[in-house]
């Protein structure tokens, strides 16, 4: 066992944390097929299904976040944190990791805190342009902090920062389908401009309302739309469309399994501003309108958005204003050839390729250099 490369990767909660974590694990295995990788996640969160599906073992912690809406639910939080600390110490003792990686999410804090206290080299992968409180604390003891945005020395020691970008789903970069075939796969016309609306796997209420309130604008336009509503809103939207009538140029789905084809089909994307999504848009060179969610810690999605907008690499629509202006702005933009080309050119300049491999190399270096 002493000759094995043993790595713990911790975090999750959303696809934006899980996709980079799995990408890093895959990159480590590509470089060192003999490596042993163990994930640590939060019980009841999506990593407990997604990580095993990707072929990796995961241990769960009874950790959760602070509930600001129902303060009574926080009564058990100190016990859950204490129990998680105990479980993590047992995991570290049994697995004996040579390095620990934190990608954000509830489980990453107790895992990396315990690892650092035992002298295990820790690497943080901070995906956003504004670091969260947990990572700011962990960053004080981390050996390396991998970031995707400039100016992160505001939060972390400058000599330990490594600009790597965010790892993305490799399948998106390997999509070989042509634009025309991608559009035909959705039953649409390759001769027409196409707008893709996505709000994540669960959906985004504001983006959905922006469509529902302007179905006449959709119907009258010469543009076609692919609309991922999210599973949470799909039944409600289906009922509304029965009442209001679905335009023929609007494809509605609760979930898109082949996002590579969806991105290839789209001349313009409308999306929230999660760090992983933004990294995908940069690498793929997609023109995008960003509607940052206001319901995230430290309003980090708006800060992610402005990092692009300040370089004329994306268009920003405020969440509270989206229902009134989003569809009209999107249709005008997708029909403006010069504006589309400017957005695509500028966002492609911000791409940081090979992120997973660069991070994996750094993890291996930390694990094997004492």
């Amino acid at each position: 066992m002493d000759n094995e490369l043993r790595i713990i990767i911790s975090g999750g909660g959303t696809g934006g944390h899980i996709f980079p974590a799995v990408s890093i694990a895959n990159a480590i295995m590509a470089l060192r097929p003999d490596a042993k990788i163990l994930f640590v996640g939060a019980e009841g969160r999506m990593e407990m299904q997604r990580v095993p599906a990707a072929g990796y073992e995961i241990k769960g912690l009874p950790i959760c976040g602070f509930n600001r809406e129902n303060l009574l639910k926080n009564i058990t939080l100190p016990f859950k944190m204490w129990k998680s600390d105990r479980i993590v110490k047992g995991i570290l003792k049994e697995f004996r990791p040579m390095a620990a990686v934190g990608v954000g999410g509830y489980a990453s804090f107790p895992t990396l805190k315990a690892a650092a206290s035992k002298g295990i080299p820790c690497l943080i992968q901070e995906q956003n342009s504004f670091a969260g409180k947990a990572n700011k604390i962990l960053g004080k003891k981390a050996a390396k902090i991998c970031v995707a945005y400039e100016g992160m020395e505001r939060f972390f020691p400058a000599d330990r920062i490594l600009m790597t970008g965010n790892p993305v789903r490799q399948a998106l970069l390997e999509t070989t389908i042509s634009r025309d075939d991608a559009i035909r796969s959705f039953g649409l016309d390759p001769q027409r401009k196409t707008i893709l609306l996505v709000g994540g796997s669960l959906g985004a209420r504001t983006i959905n309302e922006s469509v529902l309130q302007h179905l006449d604008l959709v119907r009258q336009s010469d543009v076609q739309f692919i609309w991922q509503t999210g599973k949470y809103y799909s039944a409600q939207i289906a009922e509304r469309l029965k009442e209001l009538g679905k335009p023929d140029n609007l494809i509605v789905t609760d979930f898109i399994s082949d996002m590579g084809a969806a991105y290839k089909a789209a001349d313009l994307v409308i999306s929230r501003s999660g760090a992983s999504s933004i990294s995908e848009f940069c690498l793929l060179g997609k023109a995008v309108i960003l509607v940052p969610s206001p319901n995230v810690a430290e309003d980090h999605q708006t800060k992610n958005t402005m990092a692009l907008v300040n370089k004329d690499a994306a268009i920003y629509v405020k969440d509270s204003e989206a229902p009134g202006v989003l569809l009209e702005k999107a249709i005008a933009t997708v029909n403006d050839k010069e504006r589309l080309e400017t957005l695509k050119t500028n966002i492609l300049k911000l791409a940081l390729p090979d992120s997973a491999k660069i991070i994996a190399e750094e993890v291996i270096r930390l694990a094997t250099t004492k």
Side-chain angles (χ1 to χ4, degrees), residues 9 14 67 72 80 141 286 289 297:
I9 301 177
T14 66
N67 193 316
L72 287 175
K80 289 179 177 179
K141 293 188 176 181
K286 301 308 298 184
I289 296 179

Side-chain angles (χ1 to χ4, degrees), residues 319-341:
D319 185 85
S320 60
E321 298 172 0
V325 305
L326 180 59
L327 258 292
E328 189 173 353
K329 185 180 286 288
I331 292 168
T333 302
V334 83
N335 283 316
D336 185 339
K337 185 178 179 181
E338 188 175 329
R339 184 69 180 128
L340 277 185
E341 285 304 314

Side-chain angles (χ1 to χ4, degrees), residues 271-342:
S271 172
R272 288 301 200 191
S273 306
S276 289
S277 295
I278 286 178
S279 294
E280 291 171 358
F281 302 145
C282 291
L283 287 163
L284 297 171
K286 301 308 298 184
V288 61
I289 296 179
L290 296 171
V291 186
S293 171
N295 306 313
V296 293
E298 278 99 13
D299 194 27
H300 67 254
Q301 286 205 2
T302 298
K303 295 176 176 73
N304 291 348
T305 299
M306 296 314 298
L308 271 66
V309 170
N310 290 337
K311 296 188 177 180
D312 198 22
I315 295 171
Y316 168 39
V317 172
K318 194 174 180 180
D319 185 85
S320 60
E321 298 172 0
V325 305
L326 180 59
L327 258 292
E328 189 173 353
K329 185 180 286 288
I331 292 168
T333 302
V334 83
N335 283 316
D336 185 339
K337 185 178 179 181
E338 188 175 329
R339 184 69 180 128
L340 277 185
E341 285 304 314
T342 298

Side-chain angles (χ1 to χ4, degrees), residues 30-232:
L31 293 168
R32 284 287 300 268
D34 62 315
K36 305 295 181 188
I37 297 177
L38 177 66
F39 279 75
V40 179
E43 291 176 354
R45 305 294 289 184
M46 67 168 67
E47 60 263 28
M48 301 307 293
Q49 284 77 46
R50 296 282 181 88
V51 169
Y56 296 100
E57 182 185 358
I58 186 167
K59 304 279 189 183
L61 304 180
I63 191 72
C64 62
F66 186 80
N67 193 316
R68 290 176 174 80
E69 295 179 3
N70 188 339
L71 296 179
L72 287 175
K73 289 189 176 180
N74 296 310
I75 291 173
T76 61
L77 189 57
F79 173 74
K80 289 179 177 179
M81 292 176 69
W82 173 82
K83 190 175 179 183
S84 294
D85 286 341
R86 290 283 299 267
I87 293 171
V88 165
K89 287 173 183 174
I91 291 170
L92 295 179
K93 185 176 181 180
E94 181 182 350
F95 187 68
R96 294 170 56 208
M98 299 157 72
V101 180
V103 297
Y106 301 140
S108 66
F109 184 75
T111 305
L112 265 71
K113 184 181 72 166
S117 72
K118 292 187 175 297
I120 298 165
C122 295
L123 179 145
I124 296 171
Q125 203 263 312
E126 173 54 66
Q127 292 143 21
N128 294 294
S129 62
F130 194 91
K133 290 177 183 175
N135 272 357
K136 281 189 273 189
I137 295 169
L138 293 170
K140 294 173 183 177
K141 293 188 176 181
K144 195 66 69 174
I145 302 103
C146 296
V147 302
Y149 293 91
E150 296 171 351
M152 297 304 285
E153 60 275 2
R154 292 175 295 161
F155 310 111
F156 304 115
D159 60 338
R160 285 180 258 159
I161 292 174
L162 182 64
M163 177 72 86
T164 60
N166 290 323
V168 302
R169 292 171 282 185
Q170 195 63 28
L172 297 179
L173 305 179
E174 295 171 351
T175 300
T176 57
I177 191 172
S178 68
R179 174 189 176 273
D180 286 4
D181 286 344
I183 290 173
R184 289 191 189 98
S185 74
F186 288 94
L188 295 173
D189 181 1
Q191 301 303 313
R192 300 173 73 175
K193 293 289 187 182
T194 304
I195 295 174
L196 170 67
L197 303 105
V198 288
S201 58
L202 295 178
R205 182 191 296 274
T206 301
I207 293 175
N208 290 341
E209 282 300 320
S210 299
V211 180
L212 287 170
Q213 292 181 26
H214 296 283
L215 289 173
D216 285 343
L217 192 59
V218 171
R219 194 175 282 110
Q220 293 161 14
S221 77
D222 58 351
V223 177
Q224 53 197 3
F225 300 80
I226 302 168
W227 178 21
Q228 179 185 281
T229 64
K231 293 184 178 181
Y232 184 80

